[in-house]
Amino acid sequence: MANKVYFHKPTNSKSYLLEAALWVLGVAVLALMEPTGKHAFSFCPFSWVLEQGCPGCGLGHAIAFLARGELAASWQSHPLGVPALVIICYRVAVLVRLYFGLIWWERA
C-alpha cells in the first residue's frame, strides 16, 4: 500500500514551531561566529571543569567552518560536524511538517 498524506493539527503545534525556530537560530549563530578567533566564554560545563573539554567540543566550530565552505577545517574541528548539521536540519524539517499538520504514515 502506498504512503498517504493525512492532515492532523496537534494541540501543542506552537511548541513545534518554537523549537524549529530555536534550532534555526542556534545554527545561524554558530554559522555567523568566527571559528578561528579565540572565544572568551563557553556554555559547556565540561569545558569549565575539564581541561580537554567534552566529546562534543568543536561541533560549533565545525558548523561555522561548514557555513564558510571549509570542509577540511570542519573535519579537523570535529568529524561529526556534518552529521550533526544534517540531523539538525532533519529535525527542523520534521517540526515544520508537524506544525503544518502533515504526517505521513501507512494505514494498514
Side-chain angles (χ1 to χ4, degrees):
M1 191 177 239
N3 289 344
K4 295 181 181 179
V5 178
Y6 298 96
F7 295 95
H8 167 68
K9 194 74 167 179
T11 56
N12 59 351
S13 62
K14 289 183 182 182
S15 66
Y16 295 140
L17 195 59
L18 176 64
E19 183 184 342
L22 290 174
W23 280 117
V24 170
L25 179 66
V27 169
V29 167
L30 289 174
L32 294 173
M33 78 172 205
E34 181 58 43
T36 57
K38 191 173 185 178
H39 64 281
F41 179 73
S42 175
F43 289 108
C44 179
F46 289 105
S47 68
W48 303 337
V49 178
L50 303 174
E51 188 174 314
Q52 294 174 327
C54 70
C57 284
L59 275 173
H61 287 128
I63 292 173
F65 281 124
L66 280 174
R68 289 163 176 69
E70 300 177 31
L71 295 176
S74 173
W75 180 265
Q76 286 179 340
S77 290
H78 202 292
L80 295 177
V82 173
L85 189 59
V86 168
I87 290 169
I88 291 170
C89 290
Y90 176 76
R91 178 67 181 160
V92 168
V94 166
L95 289 167
V96 169
R97 190 178 72 199
L98 285 171
Y99 175 75
F100 287 109
L102 297 174
I103 300 173
W104 286 270
W105 71 82
E106 242 180 80
R107 207 175 259 228

